[in-house]
Amino acid sequence: IQLVESGGALVQPGGSLRLSCATSGFSFENYGIGWFRQAPGKERKEVSCINTSPRTTTYYTGSVQGRFTISTDINKKMVFLQMNNLKPEDTAVYYCAAKPDLRLAAMCAYGMSYYGKGTLVTVSS
C-alpha cells in the first residue's frame, strides 16, 4: 500500500489550499481513508476521514468543521482535502492514511493502519 501526499505550502491566514493523496495497493470499497496532522511538538491527530462501505460516512474534527472538505476520485484513486479559511493553528504536517474495513469514518480517531510521509502546511503572514 502506498500513500503519497502533495499540495502543502506556505499560505496566509484566511487562504485556501487543496491537499492531494495518490493511493495504490488497495480498494476504496474495502478501506477507510483520511487525513491526519501533526503540529510541532504535538501528537498526530485525525482531521477528516471517509469510508464508502457499507455506506458513505464522513468525519471532521471539530476545529475544521465548516472549513475543510474531504473528497475522493475513485477512478483515479485519489483523496483530497480542501482547506479554506486557514488559520495559524492549522500549521502542521498533514498525512494521508488508510485502514481496512473502516465501517464508520469517525472510527478513524482510533488510528489507521497505513500513513504516508506527509506534506507540510504552514499558515503564516
Side-chain angles (χ1 to χ4, degrees):
I1 290 178
Q2 285 195 320
L3 305 163
V4 181
E5 305 92 338
S6 61
L10 170 64
V11 62
Q12 292 187 341
S16 297
L17 273 180
R18 188 173 86 150
L19 304 183
S20 301
C21 176
T23 75
S24 63
F26 66 96
S27 169
F28 284 13
E29 290 184 356
N30 301 319
Y31 277 67
I33 46 183
W35 291 92
F36 284 60
R37 68 185 179 187
Q38 185 168 19
K42 296 188 177 180
E43 293 184 353
R44 183 166 58 191
K45 292 199 171 183
E46 70 284 359
V47 176
S48 178
C49 299
I50 186 169
N51 74 299
T52 59
S53 180
R55 61 184 177 89
T56 299
T57 65
T58 56
Y59 166 81
Y60 297 93
T61 194
S63 62
V64 309
Q65 280 196 350
R67 300 189 298 124
F68 290 12
T69 303
I70 190 170
S71 62
T72 62
D73 184 328
I74 294 176
N75 291 332
K76 295 182 179 180
K77 302 199 75 174
M78 298 285 293
V79 186
F80 305 100
L81 185 69
Q82 178 66 43
M83 305 186 295
N84 298 328
N85 190 22
L86 282 160
K87 303 177 181 181
E89 51 264 40
D90 295 318
T91 294
V93 176
Y94 284 70
Y95 299 89
C96 184
K99 183 175 184 178
D101 201 31
L102 186 73
R103 302 177 71 78
L104 187 66
M107 297 300 289
C108 74
Y110 293 96
M112 303 288 261
S113 302
Y114 305 94
Y115 294 86
K117 293 184 178 181
T119 186
L120 177 62
V121 173
T122 303
V123 185
S124 175
S125 55

